[in-house]
Amino acid sequence: MNRPLVIGNWKMNLDFVEAVHLTQQISVLLKNQPSAHTDVVVAPPFVDLRSVASVLEAERSNVALAAQHVNPHEAGAHTGEVSQAMLARLGVTWVLVGHSERRTHYAMDDAVVAATLSTVVRSGANAVLCVGEDESARDDGEYASVVSAQLASALAGLEEKSRALVTVAYEPIWAIGTGRSAAPEQIHEMATVLRRELTALGCGEARVLYGGSVTGENAAAILVEGGVDGFLVGGASLKSDSFVAIIRACDDCYAGLANRR
Ligand code: PEP
């Protein structure tokens, strides 16, 4: 098992005052009981990034900063968009790429996902490539082929030296924000498929995360039985207690597995 990674995706929630409060609460909880084994990242809305970065710096926190999206172009006539260089100046070291909400609601197709992924890793930042099937693909038994196609299209053109910066998040769309997490055995099946494909694409070291209605209660079972390296968390990342509970579950599982080795 790789070192676990937990990323909180705040989506379009929390203004900068609320974001500062949540960041302070997470920092205090992790200062009182540091996470020994788990890497932690938060992905606030763009307008909160500067404030959250200041709190993390003031608290000397190990929590890293992610953006939820970036435009693949360098600069210019892209009203409403933000560039990778702008994010880097703010201390953003992670970027979510191709979240299903961007693919579904903002016309982010596979070509734009691939271009965005390439922009992020060429800059030296870490990319979290989000893949996952919708409910009809799951019902039709097409889930593995849908997800494999998303993966291949995003990774095919990547330079070898950038591949170490890729993390993959398996997020079945039907499990996101529904309270209906995928079962550990479904996650295990997809993690196995993803690892096989990643190896074939030259990204065999990439961490594989799961996202979709993860909570402090189901995190341990998913981590151990699902065979993933951590989580991309939406709803449960908006409260410090539930977010830190997921981090603690990862820490405990990793320590337990390490002791058994
Ligand atoms: C997400 O949006 O990436 C996500 C996994 O959301 P939730 O945890 O709320 O299902």
Side-chain angles (χ1 to χ4, degrees), residues 71-86:
N71 187 284
H73 295 93
E74 256 176 50
H78 300 283
T79 302
E81 292 288 286
V82 166
S83 75
Q84 182 61 35
M86 294 171 183

Side-chain angles (χ1 to χ4, degrees), residues 101-142:
E101 288 154 15
R102 303 254 14 134
R103 293 181 191 251
T104 307
H105 305 307
Y106 300 97
M108 194 173 187
D109 62 20
D110 282 345
V112 179
V113 170
T116 306
L117 187 76
S118 167
T119 298
V120 172
V121 295
R122 268 193 284 115
S123 79
N126 299 283
V128 183
L129 171 65
C130 302
V131 295
E133 79 285 358
D134 63 17
E135 189 136 41
S136 71
R138 169 61 53 177
D139 292 344
D140 295 346
E142 304 281 323

Side-chain angles (χ1 to χ4, degrees), residues 9 11 99 101 171 175-179 210-214 232-236:
N9 174 14
K11 309 195 187 193
H99 190 282
E101 288 154 15
E171 297 209 303
I176 295 180
T178 59
Y210 167 76
S213 300
V214 175
L232 179 53
V233 186

